[in-house]
Amino acid sequence: MASNRGPIAFYKDQNDKIKMKIGAGGLVPTLLPIIEKAKGTWIASVMTAVDREVSERFQNNRIPVPEDNPKFWVPLITLDSAKYNEFYNFFHNPLLWFIHHYMWDLVYNPEIDDYAHNAWQSYEYVNRQFADKIIEEVKSNEKDPLIMLQDTHLQTCPAHIREKCEDVFLSQFIHIPWPQPDYFGILPRYIQKAIVEGLLSNDHLGFHIKRYVKNFLMCCEKYVDHVDFKNNIVHFKGRKVFVKDYPISVDINKLTEFAKSEEVLKQEEYVTKIKGDTFLIYRTERTDPSKNIIRGFKAYDQFLEKYPEFQGKVTFFITGVSTRENVREYQEYKVEVNKIIEKVNEKYSKGNWKPIVPHFDAEYSLVTAAFKHYDCLLINSIHDGMNIVPKEGSIINKNNGVLIISETTGAYDELKDHSLNINAFDMSESAAAIYKAVTMNHKEREKRLNGIKRIINNYDVYAWIGDQFADIQKLF
């Protein structure tokens, strides 16, 4: 396995003692059991000085986990800090991320100058470093290697591996949207070619939904011998590359057990106090422009203005975390999010009621408590690879919560028959959806939520990874 961020992270406690914790995100607990069973390796970047300190204790920076009786190993790569900064904070975030999420205002941005081209060289540097470390692992192991790369940080890495290890099996999963060819064409032509040909050096490619698969196949056409759209196979340099959609899901048992924990039960007191006797609308996000938080609050403003009888009877609770604060566009977006919250609260607050209650940098126990108690969950992303929030929320919600979701959120494709569906840019439609959610009868709410729960129960996170391995086994 290889990803930019690893499955473990190291930190020092108040006594300056080094501690280890499991890496953030839902991907790690899903894939760790597979790595453990195979006694495999998970290659990642050094993220902190403590990571580097720990990795330097072991030969080839190969950390055994656990150290006394290893179930797997984590070789960490120490990268040149200036090049990593260009790779991550200029090329991948925001340039590449913004393209994948259709976020550029094309009249003015992006401006692809010499610095952008230099940052691409740093992207290539990181990918080569990963390829070298992977090849080192392959050559030191007697087993037939299955290499699984994760996401858009490592898109040219497969080509570098293939140059030196022609017969290895390469699989890669892209966890964010894949744009249509015209938008992908924002990138310089040689970078487009390098990314597409890098990904086509895999044997197997996964995306979340069929639309992303189709977009990727269309981007391939000008670089390959033939694209078989019927069977989702790309013929490239005498090889067949199999491309398929696998909609990521959630660990139902883990979620439901955590929802019963003491820490969540304690947070429920806070949530029920916020809710009071009002209808609770909820959203939880990173402060990422792709999440479309500002339009969501403008739609809520429109709802309160158009239907004043609901003022004081509806509360909008938002939790989330700040993200990529070293990227200017993210800094500016967070400021604007806070401004719209202040504006709506100043406009409508009365007595003890505030129309919007924000709680940023919230712990997951608070998010889980809110999932249990919301009456309506709003997801209006501009573009989102999957967004498992509607799956997490729906599986543990106890209140027949209604889901409002934009058609450009990945999860929409699975959940659309049981949700209220909106155009991410249409605030009037979003305000009307809020009104429909608030006025929906109990029986209809229950029917919709049960429909979503059935879908998630039929395809959880283990089905997601199981389907990939079933296909890989046929190809391996």
Side-chain angles (χ1 to χ4, degrees), residues 277-297:
D277 58 358
T278 66
F279 183 97
L280 187 67
I281 302 171
Y282 179 57
R283 74 180 300 155
T284 182
E285 313 282 10
R286 292 177 292 113
T287 50
D288 186 310
S290 70
K291 301 300 183 182
N292 207 22
I293 299 169
I294 293 171
R295 285 194 187 91
F297 284 139

Side-chain angles (χ1 to χ4, degrees), residues 109-152:
N109 288 299
E111 294 178 341
I112 298 175
D113 53 15
D114 287 347
Y115 189 68
H117 288 278
N118 290 334
W120 164 254
Q121 297 305 317
S122 294
Y123 181 91
E124 277 283 67
Y125 157 80
V126 171
N127 275 255
R128 286 194 185 94
Q129 293 295 307
F130 266 84
D132 289 345
K133 180 61 80 171
I134 290 167
I135 291 164
E136 181 183 305
E137 285 291 326
V138 168
K139 290 183 175 179
S140 67
N141 203 307
E142 294 178 357
K143 293 186 287 185
D144 290 336
L146 166 60
I147 300 164
M148 300 182 73
L149 306 170
Q150 302 300 320
D151 225 352
T152 48

Side-chain angles (χ1 to χ4, degrees), residues 160 207 232 307 341 345 445:
H160 301 311
F207 295 87
N232 296 338
Y307 304 102
I341 291 171
N345 281 342
R445 286 159 53 98

Side-chain angles (χ1 to χ4, degrees), residues 92 362 428 472:
H92 191 273
S428 296
I472 287 169

Side-chain angles (χ1 to χ4, degrees), residues 332-377:
E332 293 171 353
Y333 192 75
K334 186 178 179 182
V335 169
E336 293 304 313
V337 167
N338 287 325
K339 282 183 181 178
I340 187 66
I341 291 171
E342 290 173 8
K343 179 182 176 182
V344 173
N345 281 342
E346 286 176 7
K347 187 174 179 181
Y348 297 106
S349 291
K350 53 185 176 182
N352 294 323
W353 175 72
K354 280 189 175 182
I356 301 174
V357 178
H359 190 123
F360 289 105
D361 299 315
E363 294 180 355
Y364 191 65
S365 55
L366 176 58
V367 173
T368 306
F371 280 156
K372 293 172 74 173
H373 289 278
Y374 69 75
D375 297 294
C376 174
L377 183 66

Side-chain angles (χ1 to χ4, degrees), residues 101-114:
H101 291 83
Y102 299 87
M103 284 162 53
W104 287 116
D105 176 2
L106 297 185
V107 175
Y108 300 103
N109 288 299
E111 294 178 341
I112 298 175
D113 53 15
D114 287 347

Side-chain angles (χ1 to χ4, degrees), residues 41-104:
T41 62
W42 190 320
I43 296 166
S45 304
V46 162
M47 288 291 163
T48 66
V50 187
D51 285 350
R52 182 181 297 108
E53 182 181 338
V54 173
S55 70
E56 287 174 351
R57 296 177 184 173
F58 301 97
Q59 187 176 2
N60 298 323
N61 304 99
R62 201 170 188 263
I63 303 169
V65 184
E67 186 175 344
D68 54 350
N69 184 25
K71 294 182 179 179
F72 64 101
W73 287 262
V74 180
L76 290 183
I77 305 171
T78 300
L79 299 157
D80 177 273
S81 59
K83 289 181 178 178
Y84 184 85
N85 182 57
E86 285 190 338
F87 150 79
Y88 192 71
N89 292 319
F90 190 86
F91 188 81
H92 191 273
N93 311 329
L95 180 59
L96 197 60
W97 179 273
F98 274 42
I99 287 170
H100 278 265
H101 291 83
Y102 299 87
M103 284 162 53
W104 287 116

